Amino acid sequence: MENQQRLKGKKVAILLTDGFEQVEMTEPRKALQEAGAETHLIAPKSGVVKGWNGKDWGDSFAVDVLLDDADAYSYDALLLPGGVMNPDNLRLEKKAVSFVRHFFEDHKPVAAICHAPILLIEADVVKGRTLTSYPSIQTDLRNAGANWVDQEVVTDQGLVTSRKPDDIPAFNKKMIEEIREGAHAGQHA
């Protein structure tokens, strides 16, 4: 029962668009909900978003809140699933970049997996931070001033990152821990 209540009263925004790596949303979302958090899928379009399941399109998921209507101040934390298309398309959306940046400005926990940290580069929040990602974007992160390391999960003042779906169990554990702790003074834009 304690495990189910660790995040009771916490609201977590999950920012995504078509092409997110499905398991990188569904498994962390399930862990958040099992820990008592309320989660909202936030997207730049209404209706549904379609996941990417390994090598082909996956399932469709109902969007809870349109990005235009999302109030970052009403959320305690942010989850950014990966996939190649998802963060690449989101970084072209000024409102998505601004939404992400708010969490850093307000010192709130952010969890990003796989290719999602590419969106953090666009939000200009990685300089001086230690993080990991899918290996193909390590040079992008280093060029943006990040200290990239090849580890299962990395936590840096409320920022939790992992490399790939195999890392999800460790990612979920650290994400829940950081959200439970709340605001981190070192989490900044």
Side-chain angles (χ1 to χ4, degrees), residues 69-95:
D69 299 330
D71 177 11
Y73 290 101
S74 67
Y75 292 96
D76 299 294
L78 175 64
L79 168 61
L80 298 170
V84 176
M85 291 176 270
N86 174 56
D88 199 50
N89 287 326
L90 284 174
R91 70 183 178 161
L92 297 174
E93 297 274 346
K94 288 184 195 265
K95 288 185 179 178

PDB file of all heavy atoms in Angstrom, residues 69-95:
ATOM      1  N   ASP A  69      -3.624  24.227 -24.289  1.00  0.00           N
ATOM      2  CA  ASP A  69      -4.411  24.412 -23.065  1.00  0.00           C
ATOM      3  C   ASP A  69      -3.675  23.970 -21.809  1.00  0.00           C
ATOM      4  O   ASP A  69      -4.185  24.133 -20.691  1.00  0.00           O
ATOM      5  CB  ASP A  69      -5.725  23.623 -23.161  1.00  0.00           C
ATOM      6  CG  ASP A  69      -6.587  24.074 -24.321  1.00  0.00           C
ATOM      7  OD1 ASP A  69      -6.511  25.261 -24.696  1.00  0.00           O
ATOM      8  OD2 ASP A  69      -7.329  23.227 -24.874  1.00  0.00           O
ATOM      9  N   ALA A  70      -2.495  23.390 -21.971  1.00  0.00           N
ATOM     10  CA  ALA A  70      -1.762  22.845 -20.820  1.00  0.00           C
ATOM     11  C   ALA A  70      -1.109  23.962 -20.012  1.00  0.00           C
ATOM     12  O   ALA A  70      -0.470  24.846 -20.562  1.00  0.00           O
ATOM     13  CB  ALA A  70      -0.706  21.859 -21.296  1.00  0.00           C
ATOM     14  N   ASP A  71      -1.289  23.901 -18.705  1.00  0.00           N
ATOM     15  CA  ASP A  71      -0.688  24.858 -17.782  1.00  0.00           C
ATOM     16  C   ASP A  71       0.431  24.151 -17.016  1.00  0.00           C
ATOM     17  O   ASP A  71       0.164  23.357 -16.109  1.00  0.00           O
ATOM     18  CB  ASP A  71      -1.746  25.390 -16.823  1.00  0.00           C
ATOM     19  CG  ASP A  71      -1.184  26.341 -15.780  1.00  0.00           C
ATOM     20  OD1 ASP A  71      -0.010  26.762 -15.915  1.00  0.00           O
ATOM     21  OD2 ASP A  71      -1.917  26.659 -14.830  1.00  0.00           O
ATOM     22  N   ALA A  72       1.656  24.416 -17.401  1.00  0.00           N
ATOM     23  CA  ALA A  72       2.794  23.740 -16.777  1.00  0.00           C
ATOM     24  C   ALA A  72       2.829  23.939 -15.268  1.00  0.00           C
ATOM     25  O   ALA A  72       3.303  23.075 -14.535  1.00  0.00           O
ATOM     26  CB  ALA A  72       4.094  24.227 -17.413  1.00  0.00           C
ATOM     27  N   TYR A  73       2.307  25.065 -14.794  1.00  0.00           N
ATOM     28  CA  TYR A  73       2.309  25.336 -13.348  1.00  0.00           C
ATOM     29  C   TYR A  73       1.457  24.351 -12.565  1.00  0.00           C
ATOM     30  O   TYR A  73       1.647  24.187 -11.368  1.00  0.00           O
ATOM     31  CB  TYR A  73       1.840  26.770 -13.075  1.00  0.00           C
ATOM     32  CG  TYR A  73       2.833  27.803 -13.520  1.00  0.00           C
ATOM     33  CD1 TYR A  73       2.654  28.498 -14.710  1.00  0.00           C
ATOM     34  CD2 TYR A  73       3.984  28.071 -12.770  1.00  0.00           C
ATOM     35  CE1 TYR A  73       3.581  29.443 -15.135  1.00  0.00           C
ATOM     36  CE2 TYR A  73       4.917  29.003 -13.190  1.00  0.00           C
ATOM     37  CZ  TYR A  73       4.705  29.686 -14.370  1.00  0.00           C
ATOM     38  OH  TYR A  73       5.626  30.608 -14.786  1.00  0.00           O
ATOM     39  N   SER A  74       0.516  23.688 -13.235  1.00  0.00           N
ATOM     40  CA  SER A  74      -0.378  22.779 -12.518  1.00  0.00           C
ATOM     41  C   SER A  74       0.190  21.358 -12.400  1.00  0.00           C
ATOM     42  O   SER A  74      -0.463  20.484 -11.845  1.00  0.00           O
ATOM     43  CB  SER A  74      -1.752  22.748 -13.190  1.00  0.00           C
ATOM     44  OG  SER A  74      -1.673  22.152 -14.468  1.00  0.00           O
ATOM     45  N   TYR A  75       1.408  21.150 -12.898  1.00  0.00           N
ATOM     46  CA  TYR A  75       2.020  19.823 -12.832  1.00  0.00           C
ATOM     47  C   TYR A  75       3.237  19.830 -11.908  1.00  0.00           C
ATOM     48  O   TYR A  75       3.942  20.825 -11.798  1.00  0.00           O
ATOM     49  CB  TYR A  75       2.436  19.354 -14.238  1.00  0.00           C
ATOM     50  CG  TYR A  75       1.237  19.095 -15.114  1.00  0.00           C
ATOM     51  CD1 TYR A  75       0.777  20.070 -15.990  1.00  0.00           C
ATOM     52  CD2 TYR A  75       0.534  17.897 -15.027  1.00  0.00           C
ATOM     53  CE1 TYR A  75      -0.350  19.852 -16.769  1.00  0.00           C
ATOM     54  CE2 TYR A  75      -0.583  17.669 -15.795  1.00  0.00           C
ATOM     55  CZ  TYR A  75      -1.026  18.649 -16.663  1.00  0.00           C
ATOM     56  OH  TYR A  75      -2.148  18.436 -17.428  1.00  0.00           O
ATOM     57  N   ASP A  76       3.451  18.678 -11.274  1.00  0.00           N
ATOM     58  CA  ASP A  76       4.568  18.522 -10.343  1.00  0.00           C
ATOM     59  C   ASP A  76       5.834  18.012 -11.019  1.00  0.00           C
ATOM     60  O   ASP A  76       6.930  18.151 -10.465  1.00  0.00           O
ATOM     61  CB  ASP A  76       4.183  17.546  -9.227  1.00  0.00           C
ATOM     62  CG  ASP A  76       3.001  18.046  -8.432  1.00  0.00           C
ATOM     63  OD1 ASP A  76       3.159  19.071  -7.751  1.00  0.00           O
ATOM     64  OD2 ASP A  76       1.910  17.437  -8.523  1.00  0.00           O
ATOM     65  N   ALA A  77       5.682  17.376 -12.194  1.00  0.00           N
ATOM     66  CA  ALA A  77       6.829  16.787 -12.879  1.00  0.00           C
ATOM     67  C   ALA A  77       6.477  16.565 -14.349  1.00  0.00           C
ATOM     68  O   ALA A  77       5.305  16.628 -14.736  1.00  0.00           O
ATOM     69  CB  ALA A  77       7.207  15.458 -12.226  1.00  0.00           C
ATOM     70  N   LEU A  78       7.513  16.264 -15.122  1.00  0.00           N
ATOM     71  CA  LEU A  78       7.366  16.050 -16.564  1.00  0.00           C
ATOM     72  C   LEU A  78       8.058  14.762 -16.974  1.00  0.00           C
ATOM     73  O   LEU A  78       9.201  14.508 -16.575  1.00  0.00           O
ATOM     74  CB  LEU A  78       7.995  17.227 -17.316  1.00  0.00           C
ATOM     75  CG  LEU A  78       8.067  17.147 -18.839  1.00  0.00           C
ATOM     76  CD1 LEU A  78       6.667  17.115 -19.456  1.00  0.00           C
ATOM     77  CD2 LEU A  78       8.874  18.317 -19.400  1.00  0.00           C
ATOM     78  N   LEU A  79       7.373  13.965 -17.793  1.00  0.00           N
ATOM     79  CA  LEU A  79       7.939  12.756 -18.389  1.00  0.00           C
ATOM     80  C   LEU A  79       8.013  12.965 -19.891  1.00  0.00           C
ATOM     81  O   LEU A  79       7.016  13.350 -20.518  1.00  0.00           O
ATOM     82  CB  LEU A  79       7.068  11.534 -18.067  1.00  0.00           C
ATOM     83  CG  LEU A  79       7.366  10.247 -18.859  1.00  0.00           C
ATOM     84  CD1 LEU A  79       8.786   9.748 -18.607  1.00  0.00           C
ATOM     85  CD2 LEU A  79       6.341   9.164 -18.517  1.00  0.00           C
ATOM     86  N   LEU A  80       9.195  12.703 -20.455  1.00  0.00           N
ATOM     87  CA  LEU A  80       9.408  12.823 -21.899  1.00  0.00           C
ATOM     88  C   LEU A  80       9.821  11.468 -22.467  1.00  0.00           C
ATOM     89  O   LEU A  80      10.967  11.044 -22.315  1.00  0.00           O
ATOM     90  CB  LEU A  80      10.506  13.850 -22.188  1.00  0.00           C
ATOM     91  CG  LEU A  80      10.221  15.277 -21.730  1.00  0.00           C
ATOM     92  CD1 LEU A  80      11.481  16.133 -21.851  1.00  0.00           C
ATOM     93  CD2 LEU A  80       9.074  15.871 -22.532  1.00  0.00           C
ATOM     94  N   PRO A  81       8.875  10.753 -23.117  1.00  0.00           N
ATOM     95  CA  PRO A  81       9.238   9.497 -23.771  1.00  0.00           C
ATOM     96  C   PRO A  81      10.098   9.783 -25.004  1.00  0.00           C
ATOM     97  O   PRO A  81      10.058  10.884 -25.560  1.00  0.00           O
ATOM     98  CB  PRO A  81       7.896   8.896 -24.199  1.00  0.00           C
ATOM     99  CG  PRO A  81       6.839   9.761 -23.633  1.00  0.00           C
ATOM    100  CD  PRO A  81       7.465  11.050 -23.238  1.00  0.00           C
ATOM    101  N   GLY A  82      10.840   8.776 -25.435  1.00  0.00           N
ATOM    102  CA  GLY A  82      11.700   8.941 -26.595  1.00  0.00           C
ATOM    103  C   GLY A  82      11.039   8.522 -27.891  1.00  0.00           C
ATOM    104  O   GLY A  82       9.881   8.835 -28.150  1.00  0.00           O
ATOM    105  N   GLY A  83      11.794   7.769 -28.665  1.00  0.00           N
ATOM    106  CA  GLY A  83      11.425   7.515 -30.044  1.00  0.00           C
ATOM    107  C   GLY A  83      12.166   8.557 -30.873  1.00  0.00           C
ATOM    108  O   GLY A  83      12.533   9.609 -30.355  1.00  0.00           O
ATOM    109  N   VAL A  84      12.404   8.285 -32.124  1.00  0.00           N
ATOM    110  CA  VAL A  84      13.147   9.225 -32.950  1.00  0.00           C
ATOM    111  C   VAL A  84      12.259  10.375 -33.411  1.00  0.00           C
ATOM    112  O   VAL A  84      12.606  11.546 -33.292  1.00  0.00           O
ATOM    113  CB  VAL A  84      13.784   8.512 -34.168  1.00  0.00           C
ATOM    114  CG1 VAL A  84      14.486   9.505 -35.077  1.00  0.00           C
ATOM    115  CG2 VAL A  84      14.771   7.446 -33.693  1.00  0.00           C
ATOM    116  N   MET A  85      11.077  10.052 -33.923  1.00  0.00           N
ATOM    117  CA  MET A  85      10.179  11.074 -34.481  1.00  0.00           C
ATOM    118  C   MET A  85       9.627  12.017 -33.425  1.00  0.00           C
ATOM    119  O   MET A  85       9.521  13.221 -33.651  1.00  0.00           O
ATOM    120  CB  MET A  85       9.002  10.406 -35.191  1.00  0.00           C
ATOM    121  CG  MET A  85       9.346   9.690 -36.457  1.00  0.00           C
ATOM    122  SD  MET A  85       7.889   8.841 -37.130  1.00  0.00           S
ATOM    123  CE  MET A  85       8.044   7.244 -36.335  1.00  0.00           C
ATOM    124  N   ASN A  86       9.237  11.471 -32.294  1.00  0.00           N
ATOM    125  CA  ASN A  86       8.553  12.224 -31.246  1.00  0.00           C
ATOM    126  C   ASN A  86       9.321  13.478 -30.806  1.00  0.00           C
ATOM    127  O   ASN A  86       8.831  14.595 -30.987  1.00  0.00           O
ATOM    128  CB  ASN A  86       8.267  11.264 -30.082  1.00  0.00           C
ATOM    129  CG  ASN A  86       7.698  11.924 -28.868  1.00  0.00           C
ATOM    130  OD1 ASN A  86       6.676  12.588 -28.935  1.00  0.00           O
ATOM    131  ND2 ASN A  86       8.361  11.735 -27.746  1.00  0.00           N
ATOM    132  N   PRO A  87      10.524  13.360 -30.233  1.00  0.00           N
ATOM    133  CA  PRO A  87      11.206  14.576 -29.784  1.00  0.00           C
ATOM    134  C   PRO A  87      11.658  15.465 -30.939  1.00  0.00           C
ATOM    135  O   PRO A  87      11.725  16.682 -30.795  1.00  0.00           O
ATOM    136  CB  PRO A  87      12.396  14.062 -28.967  1.00  0.00           C
ATOM    137  CG  PRO A  87      12.609  12.668 -29.427  1.00  0.00           C
ATOM    138  CD  PRO A  87      11.269  12.151 -29.870  1.00  0.00           C
ATOM    139  N   ASP A  88      11.946  14.857 -32.089  1.00  0.00           N
ATOM    140  CA  ASP A  88      12.366  15.654 -33.233  1.00  0.00           C
ATOM    141  C   ASP A  88      11.232  16.569 -33.700  1.00  0.00           C
ATOM    142  O   ASP A  88      11.461  17.721 -34.045  1.00  0.00           O
ATOM    143  CB  ASP A  88      12.838  14.747 -34.371  1.00  0.00           C
ATOM    144  CG  ASP A  88      13.689  15.490 -35.378  1.00  0.00           C
ATOM    145  OD1 ASP A  88      14.636  16.180 -34.945  1.00  0.00           O
ATOM    146  OD2 ASP A  88      13.396  15.397 -36.576  1.00  0.00           O
ATOM    147  N   ASN A  89      10.004  16.066 -33.683  1.00  0.00           N
ATOM    148  CA  ASN A  89       8.851  16.899 -34.051  1.00  0.00           C
ATOM    149  C   ASN A  89       8.495  17.887 -32.948  1.00  0.00           C
ATOM    150  O   ASN A  89       8.146  19.031 -33.235  1.00  0.00           O
ATOM    151  CB  ASN A  89       7.646  16.028 -34.405  1.00  0.00           C
ATOM    152  CG  ASN A  89       7.833  15.343 -35.748  1.00  0.00           C
ATOM    153  OD1 ASN A  89       8.438  15.895 -36.659  1.00  0.00           O
ATOM    154  ND2 ASN A  89       7.333  14.128 -35.863  1.00  0.00           N
ATOM    155  N   LEU A  90       8.584  17.456 -31.694  1.00  0.00           N
ATOM    156  CA  LEU A  90       8.242  18.361 -30.587  1.00  0.00           C
ATOM    157  C   LEU A  90       9.184  19.554 -30.505  1.00  0.00           C
ATOM    158  O   LEU A  90       8.766  20.654 -30.159  1.00  0.00           O
ATOM    159  CB  LEU A  90       8.249  17.608 -29.248  1.00  0.00           C
ATOM    160  CG  LEU A  90       7.057  16.710 -28.980  1.00  0.00           C
ATOM    161  CD1 LEU A  90       7.281  15.914 -27.699  1.00  0.00           C
ATOM    162  CD2 LEU A  90       5.754  17.496 -28.911  1.00  0.00           C
ATOM    163  N   ARG A  91      10.448  19.367 -30.846  1.00  0.00           N
ATOM    164  CA  ARG A  91      11.392  20.480 -30.721  1.00  0.00           C
ATOM    165  C   ARG A  91      11.118  21.580 -31.745  1.00  0.00           C
ATOM    166  O   ARG A  91      11.634  22.684 -31.613  1.00  0.00           O
ATOM    167  CB  ARG A  91      12.834  20.012 -30.765  1.00  0.00           C
ATOM    168  CG  ARG A  91      13.306  19.514 -32.097  1.00  0.00           C
ATOM    169  CD  ARG A  91      14.727  19.026 -31.965  1.00  0.00           C
ATOM    170  NE  ARG A  91      15.196  18.490 -33.228  1.00  0.00           N
ATOM    171  CZ  ARG A  91      16.467  18.342 -33.514  1.00  0.00           C
ATOM    172  NH1 ARG A  91      17.392  18.670 -32.641  1.00  0.00           N
ATOM    173  NH2 ARG A  91      16.820  17.846 -34.669  1.00  0.00           N
ATOM    174  N   LEU A  92      10.291  21.294 -32.741  1.00  0.00           N
ATOM    175  CA  LEU A  92       9.888  22.310 -33.711  1.00  0.00           C
ATOM    176  C   LEU A  92       8.671  23.106 -33.238  1.00  0.00           C
ATOM    177  O   LEU A  92       8.301  24.094 -33.857  1.00  0.00           O
ATOM    178  CB  LEU A  92       9.578  21.655 -35.062  1.00  0.00           C
ATOM    179  CG  LEU A  92      10.763  20.956 -35.732  1.00  0.00           C
ATOM    180  CD1 LEU A  92      10.303  20.230 -36.986  1.00  0.00           C
ATOM    181  CD2 LEU A  92      11.882  21.935 -36.031  1.00  0.00           C
ATOM    182  N   GLU A  93       8.061  22.652 -32.153  1.00  0.00           N
ATOM    183  CA  GLU A  93       6.881  23.308 -31.576  1.00  0.00           C
ATOM    184  C   GLU A  93       7.330  24.255 -30.464  1.00  0.00           C
ATOM    185  O   GLU A  93       7.745  23.808 -29.396  1.00  0.00           O
ATOM    186  CB  GLU A  93       5.927  22.262 -30.981  1.00  0.00           C
ATOM    187  CG  GLU A  93       5.346  21.287 -31.964  1.00  0.00           C
ATOM    188  CD  GLU A  93       4.095  21.825 -32.628  1.00  0.00           C
ATOM    189  OE1 GLU A  93       3.520  22.830 -32.139  1.00  0.00           O
ATOM    190  OE2 GLU A  93       3.692  21.239 -33.629  1.00  0.00           O
ATOM    191  N   LYS A  94       7.246  25.562 -30.705  1.00  0.00           N
ATOM    192  CA  LYS A  94       7.692  26.539 -29.698  1.00  0.00           C
ATOM    193  C   LYS A  94       7.001  26.339 -28.360  1.00  0.00           C
ATOM    194  O   LYS A  94       7.616  26.479 -27.305  1.00  0.00           O
ATOM    195  CB  LYS A  94       7.463  27.963 -30.206  1.00  0.00           C
ATOM    196  CG  LYS A  94       8.422  28.359 -31.296  1.00  0.00           C
ATOM    197  CD  LYS A  94       8.219  29.797 -31.694  1.00  0.00           C
ATOM    198  CE  LYS A  94       8.859  30.126 -32.974  1.00  0.00           C
ATOM    199  NZ  LYS A  94      10.056  30.652 -33.172  1.00  0.00           N
ATOM    200  N   LYS A  95       5.712  25.999 -28.383  1.00  0.00           N
ATOM    201  CA  LYS A  95       4.988  25.803 -27.117  1.00  0.00           C
ATOM    202  C   LYS A  95       5.491  24.577 -26.373  1.00  0.00           C
ATOM    203  O   LYS A  95       5.529  24.569 -25.147  1.00  0.00           O
ATOM    204  CB  LYS A  95       3.485  25.711 -27.373  1.00  0.00           C
ATOM    205  CG  LYS A  95       2.897  27.058 -27.739  1.00  0.00           C
ATOM    206  CD  LYS A  95       1.408  27.009 -27.879  1.00  0.00           C
ATOM    207  CE  LYS A  95       0.920  28.412 -28.220  1.00  0.00           C
ATOM    208  NZ  LYS A  95      -0.503  28.484 -28.419  1.00  0.00           N
TER     209      LYS A  95
END
